Amino acid sequence: MQNSIWFFGDCFTWGAGCRPEQPYYQWKKPGDKLWSEIVCEHFNMIEEKPFYKMGATMYVIVNFISSLNKIKEGDIVIISDSEVKSTLSISRNKKNISSISAYRLEDFEQWHNEEEKHIVTSFIDNQVKPYEKIWEDFYVNLIEHLAKELKVRGINTLFWSHYEWKNNNKYETVAQATNKEVNDPHFSWKGNKQFADYIIKRIENKEWLVGLI
């Protein structure tokens, strides 16, 4: 049976900037692919579609935990954290748990009335943003424990930190590729290839939990 690679992360895992519904997609050339697709093709493994949420590390971990019963021996998990500027919240239909990100506060009107909006934004402003490092350490510790449990089951977990793309110029962005014609900070098609090379090298070198423990 062919094994799978499971992707858990934020918009950089999803492929934001290079999706068909986004402006930069028209720059796509033959052979251009998302980094997750490149990695799976390189190792001849099935791509389990990215489980992502913009700027919401806790939601990433929730998705990870919810998928544990489906991940099988020999599979690979690739998971990242994200900038901690969000919190779990009740969904618009009041039937599910969702995530509210400080990056998307303009969307609050479609999810909450004004009183709820004030409560949630106040929590993010007072209990999350001032303590990002503490929250980051908390989330990364959870990922570490989950990775160790999967290792017992014969499943390797590769953790990559959001600092890999933040504040550096290692991977070309959409904004750079288009001269800011599309001012998007996510990976360009070239950036996706560059990041795929980074992940492939780490898998081949068995550098699973670099930056985590």
Side-chain angles (χ1 to χ4, degrees):
M1 181 181 296
Q2 192 175 12
N3 283 103
S4 299
I5 302 182
W6 299 74
F7 296 89
F8 301 92
D10 60 11
C11 45
F12 282 84
T13 292
W14 179 59
C18 294
R19 308 303 296 191
E21 65 273 21
Q22 296 176 316
Y24 176 64
Y25 189 78
Q26 65 180 303
W27 271 263
K28 184 178 183 180
K29 299 176 182 178
D32 285 339
K33 295 175 183 177
L34 299 178
W35 69 265
S36 58
E37 297 172 325
I38 298 171
V39 171
C40 285
E41 288 183 7
H42 180 87
F43 292 104
N44 191 29
M45 297 176 76
I46 299 170
E47 178 187 6
E48 297 295 342
K49 293 302 179 184
F51 296 84
Y52 88 102
K53 192 73 177 180
M54 287 188 173
T57 299
M58 189 63 224
Y59 205 82
V60 171
I61 295 173
V62 169
N63 279 331
F64 186 15
I65 293 172
S66 300
S67 302
L68 289 178
N69 65 322
K70 303 173 187 175
I71 304 172
K72 61 186 183 297
E73 182 178 355
D75 286 357
I76 293 175
V77 170
I78 298 179
I79 184 170
S80 75
D81 61 352
S82 187
E83 291 185 302
V84 183
K85 289 180 170 63
S86 63
T87 185
L88 294 180
S89 179
I90 199 70
S91 65
R92 182 182 182 183
N93 62 14
K94 310 300 182 184
K95 294 181 180 179
N96 304 300
I97 300 300
S98 185
S99 178
I100 297 296
S101 171
Y103 292 114
R104 301 180 64 82
L105 293 182
E106 72 277 6
D107 292 344
F108 264 99
E109 282 70 21
Q110 66 174 323
W111 294 95
H112 298 273
N113 60 39
E114 283 302 311
E115 181 180 3
E116 290 174 323
K117 175 182 176 181
H118 174 72
I119 292 171
V120 175
T121 54
S122 292
F123 179 81
I124 293 174
D125 288 340
N126 293 284
Q127 295 293 314
V128 178
K129 288 182 180 179
Y131 309 104
E132 285 188 48
K133 184 61 170 63
I134 295 173
W135 283 105
E136 283 180 9
D137 291 345
F138 172 73
Y139 291 138
V140 168
N141 185 60
L142 289 177
I143 294 173
E144 176 185 349
H145 286 294
L146 290 167
K148 288 180 177 178
E149 177 60 28
L150 285 184
K151 185 67 176 178
V152 174
R153 293 168 45 189
I155 300 163
N156 286 309
T157 300
L158 187 153
F159 168 80
W160 65 276
S161 169
H162 70 279
Y163 289 104
E164 186 62 29
W165 57 259
K166 183 180 180 180
N167 299 330
N168 68 52
N169 295 309
K170 293 170 64 175
Y171 312 105
E172 185 184 74
T173 67
V174 170
Q176 291 169 335
T178 64
N179 241 0
K180 293 189 176 181
E181 184 175 336
V182 180
N183 197 13
D184 189 318
H186 298 100
F187 299 146
S188 67
W189 293 114
K190 179 180 177 180
N192 270 274
K193 177 61 170 63
Q194 292 169 326
F195 189 73
D197 290 343
Y198 163 74
I199 294 294
I200 288 168
K201 182 178 179 180
R202 281 192 51 183
I203 293 175
E204 291 179 339
N205 291 338
K206 302 187 186 305
E207 298 173 348
W208 301 111
L209 301 180
V210 173
L212 195 155
I213 57 174

